[in-house]
Amino acid sequence: LFDEATMVNEPFLDMMASVVAGVGGVDGEGWREVHPGSKEWTGESGSRPGLALKRGPVKRPERALQKLVRVYGRDVAMLTDLVRCTVLAEDLGQVEAIMVALEARSVVGLAGVLPRDQ
């Protein structure tokens, strides 16, 4: 499972960078964590982007096992975040734009997540 996650990590992150760039964001290599839950822009441009992707590593097996026991009640089917990233947005409009872009690429869909005016 972790070998497969390692194989798909870079293509997944590249796809997410493409989604973020498609709605005007940047691949945010300049973000760094100041303390848990708080990030600071340290990129070359000096000005913080309004929308950015923060690439994440493949979850370590030790952390995955901890989460399986503590959070998921040993239900392996719940472990769905081995490859991950964070999209940093300044407002809900940017979050909606990302969700719409992801839905457009999805073969599964996000039914019930986005409001529809149809």
Side-chain angles (χ1 to χ4, degrees):
L1 187 60
F2 291 95
D3 289 340
E4 290 156 352
T6 300
M7 286 180 4
V8 301
N9 192 48
E10 281 304 313
F12 165 75
L13 293 173
D14 291 343
M15 182 275 300
M16 286 301 299
S18 171
V19 168
V20 169
V23 294
V26 299
D27 190 352
E29 296 294 333
W31 288 96
R32 73 173 175 90
E33 194 156 12
V34 179
H35 52 81
S38 177
K39 296 178 177 52
E40 176 181 273
W41 177 251
T42 59
E44 293 178 19
S45 68
S47 64
R48 187 170 68 107
L51 181 64
L53 176 75
K54 182 177 184 298
R55 292 172 176 253
V58 173
K59 183 172 279 181
R60 295 184 335 267
E62 302 82 25
R63 177 65 183 123
L65 289 172
Q66 288 174 352
K67 204 167 187 184
L68 275 172
V69 172
R70 295 181 185 164
V71 180
Y72 300 142
R74 299 178 188 228
D75 183 357
V76 178
M78 299 293 293
L79 189 61
T80 59
D81 62 343
L82 294 178
V83 295
R84 62 242 166 105
C85 64
T86 302
V87 176
L88 302 157
E90 288 189 325
D91 60 53
L92 291 176
Q94 292 173 336
V95 173
E96 182 178 19
I98 291 294
M99 295 297 290
V100 168
L102 285 173
E103 183 180 38
R105 289 179 178 228
S106 177
V107 293
V108 176
L110 301 170
V113 175
L114 298 174
R116 294 287 178 226
D117 297 328
Q118 299 180 19

